[in-house]
Structures are given as C-alpha cells and as structure tokens.
C-alpha cells in the first residue's frame, strides 16, 4: 500500500473537551505558548489546541502571533437560524482555523449521523475552516472483524458532499481506546490508517490521498507518540486528557518533532 509523502507536516491537536473555564484556558494556552516558544519544535510540527466555545476568543487572543493554532470542538452546519445553543461556522471562524467534526462522543451522546456530519464538514470548508474529521470503530466491530470496512465507510460518508479535500485532516480514534488507557498498537493504527488513505485514494485520487494528514487519537501521551508518528501513514495525533497539562502536551509535540524524519 503506498505510503504518505514526506511533505505532510505532522500535526498534534489538543482536544480540551468540557474541561476548562475561560480563566483556566487562558492560563493553559499561555503556558503552552511559553514552553513551545522557548524551543524549536513547532517549526516542524503543527500544534493546535481546541478549547470549549466560551474560551475560543480568550485562547485566540492568548496565542495570537504564536505558532500554535486554535480549533473549535464542533459547529452547526447551518449559517444562522433558530438553533438555540448552537454555534455557526462563521461564528467559529471568527476565532479559529480548525474544527473537530464527528468525534465519537458527538456520535454517541448526541446521535449525530453520518449525513449530519457530512453537512458539517461541507459547512466548515465553506467558511475556510480546516475540518478534523473523526472516525473510529467500537470494540464489538473490531472483534467481529468488521473494523476496516466500517471505518472506511464512515470516512467516505463524511466526505460525501465534497469533491475537493484540500485542507482536510482525518483523525482515526478507535472508540475502545478513548480515555480508557488502552491504545491501539502502532501496527494496528498504521494498518487502519493505511486502509483509510487507500479508501480516499480509490474514491478521490492520489492527489488528495497523499496530502491529507491522518492523525491517531486514543490515549496518546508523550511516551507513545513517537512510536505512532514514525509509522508510514500516521501524521500526528489528536490528544485528549494529556493536552490538559501544558508540560505533557508540549512533550507530545516535542517528541513528535524528534520523529518527523521518516526512513
């Protein structure tokens, strides 16, 4: 199976979930900026942090002028309307460059369908956001031997409204490895992500398949990130709990940077 080209910049995304207030988000962003600005890691690794909506403006202001980008955790596909409690793509775009879409928690807890997620991906592109489309299988699908088919179909469903995948990122997060302490082995992650890259190549062509950053997510930490990003098709990580402490998140970025020169 063809491998990813060397030109893809590794990307480490921190998903802060519903874990910080505006004050603590400002402090966390400031610590991350200070640590990474003092080193040389961000030059070869793209770092992104995704705070809750209420902290987007504060974090964007704290990180302005740095090499750390800001993303949102979700958006609504409609540009405006009677959707109480929702945030439109243009609202997100005021403060962020990236947006996580289709996270397993959104799919499980809020019943988001593949069609709804595909609409979100299209809406993100329409306002110039870079979507991070999340896909992944449950333990039952993996045990049934159906993981590769299931996740490939999930990915292509999320891309069904598109003909141009420029600026897309894909995060493979096996549901059984999110927040559990369990991590897919580098070999398991590489096998799945290689299959996903092949599925994109088969449907959209190599020009897109070979330039999309594919990230792995699921209990990523400073100790295992290097083993993941040296795999042929893994271009970074989507980090949950370990992104909530500045030193651990920055260690992940720094360790990924040390492993960016692939054989």
């Amino acid at each position: 199976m063809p491998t990813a080209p060397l030109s893809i910049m590794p990307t480490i995304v921190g998903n802060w979930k519903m874990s910080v207030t505006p004050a603590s988000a400002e402090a966390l962003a400031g610590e991350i900026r200070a640590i990474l600005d003092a080193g040389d890691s961000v030059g070869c690794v793209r770092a992104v942090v995704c705070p809750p909506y209420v902290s987007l403006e504060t974090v964007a202001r704290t990180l302005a002028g740095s090499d750390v980008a800001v993303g949102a955790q979700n958006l609504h596909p409609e540009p405006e309307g009677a959707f109480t409690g929702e945030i439109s793509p243009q609202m997100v775009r005021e403060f962020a460059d990236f947006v996580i879409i289709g996270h397993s928690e959104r799919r499980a807890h809020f019943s988001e369908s593949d069609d709804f997620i595909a609409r979100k991906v299209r809406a993100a592109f329409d306002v110039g956001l870079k979507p991070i489309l999340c896909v992944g299988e449950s333990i039952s699908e993996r045990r049934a031997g159906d993981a590769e088919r299931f996740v490939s179909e999930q990915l292509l469903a999320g891309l069904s409204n598109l003909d141009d995948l420029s600026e897309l990122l894909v995060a493979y997060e096996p549901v059984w490895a999110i927040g559990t302490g369990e991590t897919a082995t580098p070999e398991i992650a590489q096998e799945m992500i290689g299959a996903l890259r092949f599925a994109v190549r088969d449907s959209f062509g190599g020009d897109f398949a070979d330039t999309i950053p594919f990230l792995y997510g699921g209990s990523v930490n400073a100790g295992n990130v290097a083993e993941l990003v040296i795999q042929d098709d893994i271009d970074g990580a989507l980090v949950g709990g370990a992104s909530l402490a500045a030193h651990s998140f920055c260690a992940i970025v720094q360790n990924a940077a040390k492993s960016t020169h692939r054989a």
Side-chain angles (χ1 to χ4, degrees), residues 25-147:
E26 181 177 19
L28 178 55
E31 290 180 62
I32 288 171
R33 176 174 186 162
I35 294 170
L36 294 181
D37 280 357
D40 57 4
S41 300
V42 182
C44 58
V45 173
R46 179 167 56 181
V48 183
V49 296
C50 299
Y53 290 132
V54 294
S55 300
L56 276 175
E57 182 177 9
T58 296
V59 171
R61 184 175 63 251
T62 302
L63 295 175
S66 78
D67 290 323
V68 184
V70 178
Q73 298 176 18
N74 188 32
L75 50 67
H76 192 279
E78 294 297 326
E80 61 181 357
F83 302 102
T84 300
E86 292 296 311
I87 309 294
S88 76
Q90 192 58 56
M91 292 174 186
V92 170
R93 189 68 185 93
E94 289 287 318
F95 307 109
D97 293 316
F98 296 81
V99 59
I100 298 169
I101 295 175
H103 193 280
S104 63
E105 292 160 4
R106 299 295 312 178
R107 295 176 188 266
H109 301 317
F110 301 96
S111 303
E112 293 193 358
S113 66
D114 285 338
D115 177 67
F116 192 58
I117 289 164
R119 289 172 56 204
K120 289 186 176 188
V121 174
R122 174 75 264 175
F125 274 123
D126 285 345
V127 297
L129 286 163
K130 300 175 179 66
I132 304 166
L133 174 60
C134 298
V135 294
E137 83 280 10
S138 68
I139 191 62
S140 61
E141 284 142 358
R142 175 154 289 275
R143 287 174 177 167
D146 203 31

Side-chain angles (χ1 to χ4, degrees), residues 183-197:
T183 307
T185 65
E187 293 75 21
I188 289 173
Q190 163 59 31
E191 181 179 22
M192 178 63 79
I193 291 176
L196 296 178
R197 198 181 295 280

Side-chain angles (χ1 to χ4, degrees), residues 13 15 17 103-104 135 171-185 189 215-221 224-225 228 236-242:
V13 180
N15 178 11
K17 303 190 179 182
H103 193 280
S104 63
V135 294
Y172 166 58
E173 290 195 308
V175 177
W176 47 270
I178 299 174
T180 63
E182 297 290 332
T183 307
T185 65
L215 316 181
Y216 170 77
S219 300
V220 175
N221 56 54
N224 61 28
V225 68
L228 291 162
L238 178 57
V239 185

